[in-house]
Amino acid sequence: MAQTLLRQDVTAVVEISSTPQTLLPSPFAYTAKPLALITQGAEAVLYRTHFLIPALPCVLKYRPSKPWRHPTLDVRLTRHRILSEARTLVRCKRHGVSVPAVFSLDWDGGDVGGQDGRKSGGWMMMEWIEGDTVRNALNGWIQGEESFVSQKSFDSKNIRLSGSQFQNHGRDATELMTRIGKAVGRMHEIGVVHGDLTTSNLMLRACKRPMPPINGALDISTNARTSLIGEVVLIDFGLATQSVQDEDKAVDLYVLERAFGSTHPTVEGLFAEVLIGYGTSYNGAHVVLKRLEDVRMRGRKRSMLG
């Protein structure tokens, strides 16, 4: 009897653990190739799949229904957030801001089948950006710098290092910061405030640049330098708003500055290059930078007072 109960308990545990945590909407519940989970947040789940044909990869952003919310409120919030993000992305794309393209969306998602008439949630399919986040690229560059400084001896037959190569390597990081500032400035110029600017929400679109060896020798900084090359693409506009207020844009920059300092403290000084690039991106940028000083003062005062 005890063995039978134990066997039933084990079977129940296996069934629970094998049940998917998030039920996909009907168009994606049965696909020839399973969707690859990228990440899961509080509001949405990201998958990698393809759009229409296997040769066109894309990202599926799925906002599942929240069972703790009233069904009517849940549908309204899901609809508002999906449509708001999609409209913002389309607006940015139309004005030349580098963001993922929107392929398709469904803010309704269909019925789950429960008695309360709850929907399954909404989804949006976007362009797949081939590359890495700025956060990972910078962290890889920092590790490369540290290993470069700590390395004591090299094989003179295969590796050749010089001060100019090291200087060029640092210039790639400076140029990346400038490109980030210009990308954010271009977004602000058309009246879009991101709301969650971090180096995790900035991507580097893969860009292959030939790095020929120098006199037949291997350049040790090639991999690290290549990781900082590419077009800066802004992603995750779930908290974005449309605003022309300089205050909102300054707060956007302040959020990025604080996030940069906490995520990459060893190279926090590089953020000044972001502001330089931002200042040259559009005519009203200098007004936003002046307002940023006021936002910083309020932030310091709040930190002092707790």
Side-chain angles (χ1 to χ4, degrees), residues 22-25 28 35-50 58-66 78 81-86 88-89 100-109 120-128 194 196 201 234-240:
T22 303
L23 297 177
L24 292 172
F28 311 100
L35 277 65
L37 177 64
I38 301 175
T39 184
Q40 181 171 357
E43 288 290 331
V45 187
L46 290 182
Y47 297 94
R48 175 170 180 171
T49 180
H50 63 271
C58 71
V59 173
L60 171 66
K61 186 171 186 178
Y62 174 47
R63 291 181 177 269
S65 176
K66 305 299 186 295
T78 301
R81 290 170 180 173
I82 288 181
L83 293 181
S84 177
E85 183 174 4
T88 302
L89 287 170
V102 178
F103 291 156
S104 179
L105 64 85
D106 182 7
W107 59 266
D108 188 3
S120 63
W123 53 268
M124 179 169 57
M125 299 187 75
M126 298 171 289
E127 173 189 5
W128 174 264
H194 188 279
D196 189 23
N201 288 336
L234 294 96
I235 62 172
D236 195 1
F237 283 75
L239 299 177

Side-chain angles (χ1 to χ4, degrees), residues 6 11 45 54 58 64 80 88 102 144 205 210 216 221 236 253 259 282 296:
L6 179 60
T11 303
V45 187
C58 71
H80 170 74
T88 302
V102 178
R205 193 189 299 270
S221 63
D236 195 1
L253 285 176
Y282 68 105
R296 284 170 174 167

